[in-house]
């Protein structure tokens, strides 16, 4: 089978090219304008039936398949027809269509009474001028369900996907872009979510975003408008109780279901939408529920009292096991009489819905009512244990399972098992809102929220401790992600209630989990907010808590490549640690500062700090910490070119990790061992190490290690000359680095992708990527990254004959590598210099450069990679010839050549 694009336009374009026809020629054969063919191929115009029939003839479609072809052309089927006619020249097509990406779920019940609405909304979305469509209506009218139905039907129209973004748990409009990005799989790229992240991801994609429950984040409407303006293939379908009030917005008022039921001898055949919904839901809970002429009148009256609101109807129909429609009607009439005052703080339809909910809740026993309102304190789902903590010492919590079962039976709550088999409980959003109102009116909201926040603080501390049990990494991380909204709610509560100490404790306890699961930017924001509040309010905290908070903030900044912020934060922590004589704190901060110094190319300073940290851990006899420091020292020696020493340290670390079952660190050791093998030219061993590292990291859900493993596999296959495979690895690594918001990973991936572009002779792309890497490296003070980018730009300039900037850049790169003490980088720079001089026409003049680089290669045991062989042969050919250039030597050439005889290679080790 051959996979083709699902669109008719793509099929027609491919078929036309197969027949060797231009758009003008095909238009002439069909008898239409060229612009018509152009629009059909671009999927902006459906062909008429007559044109579709002519296209079938002109494209040699077998006559027996003309009907199927016309349906396909008119988008009346979701897949192309399968034609197997063997007529010479016939359009024989046999393909399947991959479904576009989406996060849609199977809809459990049919949508009743909305066929016309669905058709109208689909028609409006098909209009190229409609980019933002808002479904407006009261709560409970079925906006979300209608939007989900439309989303299912729109899936074939948006080739890059349809995504539903649940905004109900979001209370801060500034978080809307972040939640959209998380839904699309885009992770943080900094302490503040940049509008550019979403724009760069969506600008050339055909995507439908369904933004559900927008009414509580209306100030974010302007950001959505800007996003639509910037992304030409994006359309947005919004559900909201209020319109967004944007000029480009088109509105669709979602009305209640029609209620009137015509008289008929066969009641079931003529049910109005509202009555049909009631009957369908009633029979779902009570298979013996029967309808007749009398009951239909009662059901119609119930639906009328409820204004035809679907949620109200569903809630009441669920009581059909206990009450007949007439009894329901009497009860509703009594409740509605109470509300004839029409209080101004709620619109009529909302009051009707509230009555339906109130009626359902009033049927509960008092203890069940208490449970119902306390479940509302959870912004999303919760576990039995969490609910028990909120209900500690409360009468309603004495028999939780029985109470939860009651709520579930009455459709006020539903239970679902997560991937680990643990049952979680959740409410519909409108029910949660009502429950919270009940808590507020009872004066219990603050108390319940306090217990909720306290529970999640304790859970965060437990998960933090579980991370020290290294076989618990995955379990702890999964639990963190399942309760992410609860952790956010707890942080927000502590902040708004000015409970600064608990706020810092919670934000700090989650630091490792923010990093491991790719939320480093969000974690930094919470920590920064907590620390700022403590400083602003001059809150007195225990020194150990301040130290932990500063270390956590620095740790997250480091992993995002913000070395300046990280170093400053660790330095503050170091002062407190040394004052308190906290040995464990000293060891940690020395290690962290040592890692920053390593990335910034300050190798001597890094080695001193790492050794100080290692000595403390050895004095404290902490094997797992020792294994980490030995690994870090091995990585440092590797970048210094001390391959034998690096190999010894990395093997020591690996043995220690295996003894302690420290899988997470083993994956890192394997990466460094793979890099060592790559430097030695052992591609098979390097690839095996990187692959094993990735496999372990995936088991541990360590996304940072996964990203680096993908990058190094791309680097290895590039060095081995396997360019297609390298491109595949690097594409995945680039996406991962963007998702994580890891600046140093982004910088490294950009440089390797640029080198791949050089090998593919895509020099414009290479220049752009190297320039981006250079700018990012300079912003981070990433010494090796800066030198790598300069060396790459010099190579591109040399290939394109721009010798002056090439020589200047290679001179800067050489000085950078020498200052850092990076022999592998210096070797690559010298070879680039030799290549540049060879292309300029210098012959045996470049012999000192070649002698220096060969001495360096021998001194450090470094191998030349396969992808460099062609340029090396060009250098060798130049050596055998006298100088061929008639141009006067650039001053920088003499400067560079003068360095060669006096190049003290051993200086890199001092």
């Amino acid at each position: 089978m051959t996979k083709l694009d699902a669109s008719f336009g793509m099929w027609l374009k491919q078929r036309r090219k197969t027949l060797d026809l231009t758009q003008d020629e095909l238009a002439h054969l069909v008898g239409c304008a060229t612009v018509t063919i152009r629009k059909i191929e671009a999927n902006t115009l459906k062909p008429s039936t007559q044109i579709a029939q002519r296209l079938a003839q002109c494209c040699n479609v077998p006559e027996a398949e003309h009907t199927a072809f016309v349906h396909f052309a008119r988008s009346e089927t979701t897949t192309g027809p399968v034609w197997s006619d063997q007529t010479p020249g016939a359009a024989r097509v046999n393909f399947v269509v991959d479904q576009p990406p989406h996060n849609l779920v199977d809809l459990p019940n049919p949508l009743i009474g909305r066929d016309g609405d669905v058709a109208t909304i689909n028609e409006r979305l098909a209009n190229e001028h409609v980019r933002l469509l808002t479904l407006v209506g009261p709560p409970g009218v079925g906006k979300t369900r209608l939007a989900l139905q439309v989303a299912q039907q729109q899936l074939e129209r948006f080739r890059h996907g349809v995504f539903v973004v649940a905004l109900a748990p979001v209370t801060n409009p500034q978080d809307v872009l972040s939640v959209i990005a998380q839904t699309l799989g885009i992770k943080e790229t900094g302490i503040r979510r940049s509008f550019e992240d979403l724009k760069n991801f969506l600008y050339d994609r055909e995507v439908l975003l369904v933004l559900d429950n927008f009414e509580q984040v209306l100030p974010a409407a302007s950001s959505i408008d800007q996003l639509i303006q910037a992304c030409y293939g994006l359309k947005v379908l919004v559900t909201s109780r209020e319109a967004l009030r944007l000029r480009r917005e088109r509105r669709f008022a979602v009305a209640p279901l029609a209620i009137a039921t015509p008289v008929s001898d066969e009641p079931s055949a003529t049910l109005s939408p509202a009555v049909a919904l009631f009957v369908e839901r009633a029979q779902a809970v009570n298979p013996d529920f029967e309808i007749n002429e009398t009951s239909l009148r009662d059901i119609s009256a119930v639906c009328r009292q409820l204004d035809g609101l679907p949620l109200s109807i569903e809630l009441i129909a669920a009581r059909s096991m206990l009450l007949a429609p007439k009894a329901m009607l009497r009860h509703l009439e009594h409740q509605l009489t109470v509300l004839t005052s029409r209080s101004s703080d709620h619109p009529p339809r909302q009051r009707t819905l509230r009555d339906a909910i109130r009626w359902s809740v009033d049927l509960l026993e008092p203890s069940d009512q208490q449970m119902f309102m306390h479940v509302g304190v959870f912004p999303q789902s919760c576990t039995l244990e969490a609910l028990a903590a909120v209900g500690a010492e409360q009468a309603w919590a004495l028999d939780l399972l029985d109470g939860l079962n009651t709520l579930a039976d009455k459709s006020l709550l539903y239970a679902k098992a997560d991937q680990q088999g643990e049952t979680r409980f959740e409410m519909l959003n409108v029910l949660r809102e009502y429950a919270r109102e009940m808590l507020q009116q009872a004066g219990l909201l603050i108390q319940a929220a306090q217990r909720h926040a306290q529970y999640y603080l304790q859970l965060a501390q437990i998960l933090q401790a579980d991370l020290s049990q290294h076989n618990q990494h995955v379990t702890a991380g999964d639990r963190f992600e399942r309760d992410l909204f609860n952790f956010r709610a707890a942080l927000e509560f502590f902040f708004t209630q000015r409970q600064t100490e608990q706020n810092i404790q919670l934000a700090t306890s989650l630091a490792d989990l923010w990093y491991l699961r790719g939320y480093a930017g969000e974690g930094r924001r919470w920590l920064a907010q907590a620390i700022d509040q403590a400083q602003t309010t001059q809150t007195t905290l225990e020194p150990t808590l301040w130290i932990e908070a500063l270390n956590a903030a620095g740790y997250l900044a480091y992993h995002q490549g913000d070395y300046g912020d990280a170093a400053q934060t660790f330095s503050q922590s170091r002062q407190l640690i040394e004052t308190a004589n906290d040995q464990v704190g000293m060891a940690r901060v020395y290690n962290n500062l040592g890692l920053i110094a390593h990335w910034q190319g300050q190798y001597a300073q890094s080695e001193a700090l790492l050794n100080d940290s290692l000595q403390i851990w050895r004095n404290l006899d902490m094997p797992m910490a020792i294994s980490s420091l030995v690994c870090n020292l091995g990585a440092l020696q590797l970048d210094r070119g001390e391959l034998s020493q690096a190999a010894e340290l990395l093997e020591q670390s690996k043995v220690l990790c295996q003894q302690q079952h420290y899988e997470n660190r083993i994956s890192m050791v394997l990466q460094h061992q793979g890099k060592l093998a790559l430097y030695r030219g052992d591609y098979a061993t390097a690839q095996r190490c990187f692959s094993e590292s990735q496999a372990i990291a995936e088991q541990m859900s360590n996304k940072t290690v996964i990203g680096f493993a993908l990058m190094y596999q791309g680097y290895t296959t590039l060095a081995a000359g396997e360019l297609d495979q390298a491109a595949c690895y690097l594409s995945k690594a680039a996406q991962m680095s963007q998702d994580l918001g890891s600046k140093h990973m982004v910088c490294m991936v950009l440089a390797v992708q640029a080198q791949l572009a050089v090998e593919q002779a895509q020099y414009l792309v290479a220049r752009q990527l190297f320039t981006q890497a250079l700018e990012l490296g300079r912003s981070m003070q990433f010494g090796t990254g800066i030198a790598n980018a300069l060396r790459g730009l010099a190579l591109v300039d040399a290939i394109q004959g721009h010798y002056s900037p090439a020589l200047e850049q290679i001179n800067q790169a050489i000085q950078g590598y020498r200052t850092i003490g990076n022999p592998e980088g210096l070797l690559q720079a010298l070879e680039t210099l030799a290549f540049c001089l060879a292309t300029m026409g210098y012959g045996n003049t470049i012999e000192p450069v070649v002698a220096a680089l060969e001495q360096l290669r021998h001194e450090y045991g470094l191998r030349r990679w396969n992808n460099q062989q062609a340029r090396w042969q060009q250098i060798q050919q130049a050596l055998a010839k006298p100088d061929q250039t008639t141009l006067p030597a650039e001053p920088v050439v003499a400067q560079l050549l003068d360095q060669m005889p006096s190049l003290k290679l051993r200086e890199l080790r001092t």
Side-chain angles (χ1 to χ4, degrees), residues 105 319 474 510 538 671 709 800 853:
V105 297
R319 312 292 172 242
V474 176
L510 294 173
Q538 298 183 342
Q671 282 199 5
Q800 295 188 315
L853 69 87

Side-chain angles (χ1 to χ4, degrees), residues 404-432:
L404 289 168
N405 187 61
T406 298
L407 296 182
D409 284 345
K410 296 182 182 300
S411 301
L412 294 171
L413 172 148
Y414 61 93
K416 60 181 179 181
D418 59 28
Q419 293 180 344
Q420 283 65 42
E422 183 177 34
T423 301
R424 299 183 70 87
F425 303 93
E426 188 166 355
M427 280 181 167
L428 295 172
N429 295 321
V430 68
L431 296 176
R432 181 182 299 109

Side-chain angles (χ1 to χ4, degrees), residues 220-235:
S222 60
S223 297
I224 302 303
D225 191 50
Q226 293 168 19
L227 195 62
I228 294 172
Q229 178 70 30
C231 306
Y232 61 86
L234 174 65
K235 291 199 177 190

Side-chain angles (χ1 to χ4, degrees), residues 185-446:
I186 309 170
K187 299 297 182 180
E188 301 286 346
T189 58
I191 193 167
R192 290 289 177 192
R193 159 66 55 193
S194 171
F195 171 83
E196 295 298 316
D197 295 339
L198 279 168
K199 186 184 79 171
N200 292 340
F201 181 83
L202 292 170
Y203 84 97
D204 61 348
R205 286 177 163 87
E206 295 176 13
V207 170
L208 175 65
L209 289 181
V210 181
L211 305 184
D212 191 29
N213 291 295
F214 204 92
E215 59 273 357
Q216 60 189 358
V217 289
L218 283 174
S222 60
S223 297
I224 302 303
D225 191 50
Q226 293 168 19
L227 195 62
I228 294 172
Q229 178 70 30
C231 306
Y232 61 86
L234 174 65
K235 291 199 177 190
V236 179
L237 180 65
V238 175
T239 71
S240 178
R241 298 177 194 175
E242 294 182 48
L244 276 59
R245 297 181 178 86
L246 298 171
R247 292 183 62 185
R248 77 170 69 249
E249 181 187 36
R250 299 295 180 268
R251 302 174 192 175
F252 181 89
V254 182
L257 294 175
I259 298 167
T261 302
V263 178
S264 170
D265 294 334
E266 184 123 8
S268 61
T270 58
L271 301 182
S272 71
V275 173
L277 176 63
F278 183 103
V279 172
E280 194 275 336
R281 298 299 188 262
Q283 291 179 340
V285 297
N286 181 8
D288 297 327
F289 184 84
E290 295 181 355
I291 57 173
N292 52 45
E293 191 172 329
T294 301
S295 63
L296 273 179
R297 282 196 296 269
D298 292 333
I299 294 170
S300 295
V302 168
C303 293
R304 188 172 292 106
Q305 293 284 20
L306 295 174
D307 285 346
L309 291 173
L311 179 57
S312 303
I313 293 170
E314 291 191 25
L315 288 171
I316 290 173
R319 312 292 172 242
S320 298
M321 184 68 77
L322 301 175
L323 297 173
K326 186 176 291 292
M328 296 179 189
L329 180 61
R330 287 197 300 269
H331 191 89
L332 276 177
E333 285 176 348
H334 174 72
Q335 291 295 315
L336 291 173
T337 300
V338 176
L339 290 174
T340 53
S341 62
R342 304 264 181 197
S343 59
S344 60
D345 57 340
H346 292 102
R349 286 172 179 157
Q350 186 179 18
R351 289 199 302 273
T352 305
L353 177 60
R354 289 165 61 80
D355 288 339
I357 298 171
R358 179 184 293 115
W359 177 75
S360 296
V361 173
D362 286 348
L363 290 176
L364 299 172
E365 294 296 328
S367 61
D368 294 331
Q369 290 180 3
Q370 287 286 318
M371 178 178 290
F372 169 79
M373 69 170 72
H374 279 86
V375 173
V377 80
F378 296 90
Q380 208 168 54
S381 64
C382 68
T383 63
L384 186 65
E385 180 186 65
L387 185 57
V390 170
E393 301 179 3
Q394 303 290 310
W396 62 265
L398 294 178
D399 193 347
L400 283 177
L401 286 175
D402 185 61
L404 289 168
N405 187 61
T406 298
L407 296 182
D409 284 345
K410 296 182 182 300
S411 301
L412 294 171
L413 172 148
Y414 61 93
K416 60 181 179 181
D418 59 28
Q419 293 180 344
Q420 283 65 42
E422 183 177 34
T423 301
R424 299 183 70 87
F425 303 93
E426 188 166 355
M427 280 181 167
L428 295 172
N429 295 321
V430 68
L431 296 176
R432 181 182 299 109
E433 179 182 343
Y434 185 83
R436 290 181 70 88
E437 285 184 8
M438 290 179 66
L439 277 175
Q440 181 74 53
Q441 293 168 3
L444 298 174
L445 181 57
I446 296 297

Side-chain angles (χ1 to χ4, degrees), residues 490-784:
L491 285 162
E492 187 65 29
F493 175 81
F494 285 141
F495 177 73
T496 56
Q497 296 297 312
R498 291 185 171 273
Q499 297 179 19
T500 307
E501 183 173 352
Q502 292 94 323
N503 195 16
I504 286 184
Q505 286 176 337
L506 179 53
T508 300
S509 298
L510 294 173
D512 285 324
L513 291 162
W514 293 121
Y515 155 65
L516 286 172
R517 290 307 173 105
Y519 298 93
E522 182 177 348
R524 289 179 70 189
R525 290 198 299 274
W526 287 114
L527 271 164
Q529 177 177 271
I531 291 171
D532 180 68
Q533 185 180 62
Q535 292 172 337
T536 301
T537 59
Q538 298 183 342
T539 303
T540 301
L541 300 175
E542 290 292 327
T544 54
L545 181 55
W546 263 122
I547 290 168
E548 289 175 1
L550 290 170
N551 279 347
Y555 171 78
L556 293 175
Y558 162 74
H559 279 293
Q560 287 206 298
D562 287 336
Y563 299 135
D565 287 350
Q568 182 179 2
T569 305
F570 285 136
S571 295
Q572 295 176 30
S573 172
R574 182 177 182 174
Q575 295 174 7
L576 294 172
I577 288 168
E578 291 175 346
T579 300
N581 195 27
D582 178 358
Q583 292 297 299
V584 171
M586 281 186 198
R588 286 175 176 164
V589 81
Y590 290 163
N591 174 65
N592 291 332
L593 288 169
L595 291 173
I596 292 172
H598 180 177
W599 278 102
Q600 291 185 322
Q602 301 165 4
Y603 291 167
Q605 182 182 352
S606 174
E607 184 173 24
L609 287 164
L610 293 176
N611 276 320
D612 287 345
S613 178
L614 177 60
Q615 187 58 53
I616 296 174
W617 289 128
R618 281 179 170 156
N619 292 340
L620 297 173
D621 191 24
M622 300 185 72
M624 285 192 290
I626 293 170
S627 69
S628 294
L629 263 296
V630 174
C631 174
N632 292 341
L633 283 165
L636 175 63
Q637 296 307 324
L638 182 60
D639 285 346
R640 299 182 74 172
E642 304 293 352
L643 303 191
S644 297
Q645 189 174 350
E648 182 180 345
L649 288 167
L650 292 172
E651 190 59 33
Q652 288 177 21
S653 177
K654 189 174 182 180
V655 170
L656 287 169
C657 291
Q658 290 170 337
Q659 291 172 351
Q660 300 297 319
H661 304 289
Y662 193 177
E663 295 293 326
N664 202 42
R665 179 58 62 172
I666 289 175
S667 67
M668 299 181 195
V669 172
L670 282 166
Q671 282 199 5
H672 298 312
Q673 289 182 322
K675 192 175 172 183
L676 173 65
L678 178 59
Y679 285 173
R680 289 173 168 170
D682 187 350
Y683 306 128
T685 300
Q687 195 70 353
R688 176 180 56 78
C689 288
F690 295 137
S691 178
E692 290 179 9
S693 172
Q694 180 182 344
I696 295 173
E698 286 174 345
Q699 293 175 1
M700 308 298 292
S701 295
N702 190 325
K703 296 179 182 179
T704 298
V705 176
I706 294 171
F708 277 115
L710 288 168
M711 184 202 71
Y712 281 123
Q713 287 177 89
Y715 201 4
T716 302
T717 49
L718 171 61
E722 300 168 3
L723 304 189
D724 290 342
Q725 197 168 358
C728 181
Y729 282 122
L730 292 173
S731 175
K732 294 177 182 178
Q735 185 61 58
M736 182 71 78
S737 66
Q738 293 290 342
D739 290 348
L740 292 170
S742 171
K743 292 182 181 178
H744 50 226
M745 190 189 299
V746 171
C747 185
M748 294 174 69
V749 172
L750 283 171
V752 183
Q753 284 184 309
Q755 189 62 48
L756 173 63
V758 170
E759 307 305 335
Q760 295 172 326
Q762 297 176 359
Y763 302 122
L764 178 60
V765 173
R767 183 183 300 281
Q768 292 172 339
L769 293 172
F770 277 130
T771 300
Q772 291 176 37
L774 178 61
E775 292 172 353
L776 188 55
R778 283 173 170 163
S779 72
M780 302 160 55
Q781 300 177 2
F782 180 13
T784 302

